[in-house]
Amino acid sequence: MLEALSMPFMQRAVLAGMLVAVLGGYYGVFIVQRGMSFMGSGLSHAAFGGVALGLLLGVEPMGVAVPFTIATALGITWLRRRTVLGEDTAIGIFFSVSMALGIVFLSLRQDFTTEAFSYLFGSILAVTPADLWATGLFLLFSLFTLPVWSRWAYATFDRELALADRLPVDRDDYLLSVLIAVTVVLAVKLLGIMLVVAFLVVPAATARMLARSFFRMSLLAVGIGMGTTLLGLFVSYTFDLPSGAAVILVQALLFFLSLPFNRR
C-alpha cells in the first residue's frame, strides 16, 4: 500500500475519499436520524438524470448534475411540506421522473454509454485535481454551517418544539436538502450512483449503534467514514477489487460487527 501511495492517482483517491467521508459523516447523521435514507437514494438517481443531460449537451456532466439534483431536493422538500403527500411518496415521484429523464437523454445519443456507465459505478481512482478542489471548497463551505448544526439537531429530535420556539425550521430544511444534494453529486464521481447512498447511510448508522449522543454520533460517523475509506482502498489495491465497492463492503462489515453493541 505504501508503494501505491507514491502514485499521484492513489494520493488523489485517498484525499478525495477523506474529504467525501467527512461530508458523508457530517450530513449522513441527519439522513439516518430523520429516516431520510430513501431521499439519499432519490437524489443519487436525480444525479443520474443530470449526468445524462450533461452528456447529451456535451458539457461537464457534474456541472449539470449539481443544479439538477439541487432542484430535485428542493422539489422534494417543497412537496412534502406543502402537500398531504408523505415524504416517501414525494421522493418516489421525483426518483421516477429523474430516472425516466436520464434514460431518455441517454437514448438520444448512443456514443457515450461507456462514460455513463462509469458514473453508475464510480471510479475513485480517476479523481482529478479539479474534483479535489470542488470537494475541498464545498467542505470548507460546510464548515460555515456549524452555527446551523444545533438547529438541525434540535428539529431532528423535536420538530414541533423547534417550531414552537420560532426557529426557522422550514428554511433550515431547505438548506439541509440542498447541501445533501451537493454532497451526493460529489460522492457520485467517487462511488457511483449505485453506491453513494450506502456511503452516506452506513457509517452514520454504525455510529448510531455506538454513540450515546447525537454530537458523538456525528464525530464517530466522520471517523468511521475516513477509516473505512482508507481500509477499503487498501483492500481494493491488495485484491484488485473495484475501489468503491470495497469501501462499502468494509463499512458494511463494521456495521454488522457493531450490532452487539447497539445502544437502544
Side-chain angles (χ1 to χ4, degrees), residues 85-108:
L85 297 175
E87 182 178 64
D88 57 340
T89 303
I91 295 170
I93 291 171
F94 280 93
F95 177 108
S96 304
V97 171
S98 298
M99 283 299 295
L101 286 174
I103 293 170
V104 169
F105 295 149
L106 288 178
S107 70
L108 295 178

Side-chain angles (χ1 to χ4, degrees), residues 27-153:
Y27 294 113
V29 291
F30 294 104
I31 292 175
V32 169
Q33 197 66 42
R34 294 188 179 196
M36 296 167 57
S37 299
F38 188 38
M39 183 172 183
S41 180
L43 292 179
S44 67
H45 287 78
F48 170 73
V51 166
L53 179 59
L55 292 172
L56 176 64
L57 298 176
V59 299
E60 170 56 41
M62 304 307 286
V64 179
V66 169
F68 193 95
T69 309
I70 287 176
T72 300
L74 292 174
I76 291 172
T77 304
W78 181 87
L79 200 60
R80 64 191 175 95
R81 289 282 175 265
R82 304 303 180 194
T83 70
V84 296
L85 297 175
E87 182 178 64
D88 57 340
T89 303
I91 295 170
I93 291 171
F94 280 93
F95 177 108
S96 304
V97 171
S98 298
M99 283 299 295
L101 286 174
I103 293 170
V104 169
F105 295 149
L106 288 178
S107 70
L108 295 178
R109 285 182 59 183
Q110 302 293 329
D111 57 340
F112 51 61
T113 52
T114 301
E115 189 173 358
F117 185 83
S118 70
Y119 283 100
L120 285 175
F121 297 99
S123 179
I124 195 172
L125 300 180
V127 171
T128 65
D131 296 326
L132 289 176
W133 275 107
T135 308
L137 289 173
F138 181 66
L139 177 57
L140 181 62
F141 175 81
S142 293
L143 294 178
F144 288 100
T145 68
L146 286 174
V148 189
W149 189 92
S150 59
R151 299 207 303 264
W152 283 335

Side-chain angles (χ1 to χ4, degrees), residues 150-161:
S150 59
R151 299 207 303 264
W152 283 335
Y154 189 0
T156 295
F157 286 95
D158 199 329
R159 178 181 176 83
E160 297 304 320
L161 189 57

